[in-house]
Amino acid sequence: DQQVKQNSPSLSVQEGRISILNCDYTNSMFDYFLWYKKYPAEGPTFLISISSIKDKNEDGRFTVFLNKSAKHLSLHIVPSQPGDSAVYFCAASNLPNQAGTALIFGKGTTLSVSS
Amino acid sequence: DAGVTQSPTHLIKTRGQQVTLRCSPISGHKSVSWYQQVLGQGPQFIFQYYEKEERGRGNFPDRFSARQFPNYSSELNVNALLLGDSALYLCASSVAGTGVTEAFFGQGTRLTVV
């Protein structure tokens, strides 16, 4: 029973265009969401996060949008670059100030950016 | 600044054996979590430790155990290894008081059970 779902296993985009990665969740108790990027043979690298009290958070080329009513979030990358090619994981949690909280990850979406 | 470091990077064990994986968090981070990632899946939470105490446990059998030392480093132990324990084991550290906020991951230990 997956609480965090990334329904697109892969996405191909041309360099310079927008990449949109989607994530859905089922647990209404989640109130903190994160995106991680992972290259082969490396650990996940933190990209951007958003609290449930916001609906948008932006950091350079990366923007995360949260739609709480739809239990949906998306990561926009503009413009996409070949170096963005990696596996992207959506993760969710609740009670971000509690030390014993776990991250719940989706299965990931493999992004391929072609030049 | 050193990131999260894990050792060893690769390991091959035989069914039934025991294994110990090690993790050193980022300096100043007091919370360490362990995750298991099998091929094609996202990381799955195993344990979280904060100030040397277990603060969270995922849905893993008792063959999995962990501990955190006074210097905040951590070890993950797995007994009676099964073929299904083959996975990438990830350690993450985060700043005390912020829980999982911006958890930083190490490069992982690739465990292969044969």
Side-chain angles (χ1 to χ4, degrees):
Chain A
D1 184 22
Q2 274 211 297
Q3 298 185 69
V4 178
K5 301 177 184 179
Q6 294 177 257
N7 292 319
S8 298
S10 63
L11 175 67
S12 294
V13 173
Q14 282 192 317
E15 182 179 7
R17 307 293 290 267
I18 185 172
S19 295
I20 300 176
L21 297 100
N22 294 303
C23 179
D24 298 295
Y25 62 96
T26 58
N27 190 339
S28 58
M29 297 300 292
F30 288 149
D31 56 9
Y32 200 80
F33 305 89
L34 306 90
W35 283 94
Y36 283 85
K37 176 171 72 173
K38 187 178 184 302
Y39 295 117
E42 294 183 12
T45 302
F46 170 77
L47 275 177
I48 192 168
S49 61
I50 187 167
S51 166
S52 59
I53 62 174
K54 297 185 176 181
D55 55 16
K56 176 183 175 181
N57 189 25
E58 192 171 355
D59 184 2
R61 297 186 298 115
F62 302 92
T63 303
V64 56
F65 295 92
L66 175 62
N67 182 335
K68 283 187 65 178
S69 61
K71 295 190 179 66
H72 176 84
L73 62 154
S74 61
L75 175 68
H76 293 211
I77 307 174
V78 183
S80 300
Q81 300 172 354
D84 295 329
S85 298
V87 179
Y88 288 78
F89 290 100
C90 170
S93 182
N94 58 349
L95 302 174
N97 290 319
Q98 299 300 314
T101 308
L103 285 171
I104 309 299
F105 283 85
K107 290 186 177 182
T109 296
T110 300
L111 173 66
S112 299
V113 181
S114 57
S115 55
Chain B
D1 285 345
V4 178
T5 57
Q6 292 185 243
S7 63
T9 54
H10 295 84
L11 202 52
I12 299 175
K13 289 287 189 177
T14 304
R15 276 180 299 175
Q17 285 188 316
Q18 175 264 341
V19 68
T20 298
L21 311 180
R22 295 175 176 84
C23 172
S24 293
I26 292 171
S27 177
H29 286 195
K30 298 181 179 180
S31 179
V32 170
S33 300
W34 288 94
Y35 290 81
Q36 180 196 64
Q37 186 182 13
V38 299
L39 197 63
Q41 301 291 320
Q44 187 173 359
F45 173 72
I46 309 175
F47 286 110
Q48 181 164 9
Y49 275 77
Y50 174 67
E51 290 286 10
K52 295 165 286 180
E53 290 187 5
E54 181 184 305
R55 295 301 185 97
R57 172 185 285 255
N59 188 22
F60 280 81
D62 292 342
R63 299 184 297 107
F64 288 77
S65 63
R67 56 180 175 169
Q68 187 177 32
F69 298 98
N71 66 353
Y72 303 109
S73 67
S74 178
E75 287 183 350
L76 175 70
N77 295 283
V78 186
N79 293 322
L81 284 167
L82 303 174
L83 295 179
D85 295 331
S86 296
L88 179 68
Y89 288 84
L90 295 162
C91 172
S93 75
S94 55
V95 175
T98 59
V100 296
T101 307
E102 298 182 16
F104 294 88
F105 284 83
Q107 83 284 2
T109 294
R110 173 70 62 186
L111 172 64
T112 301
V113 182
V114 297

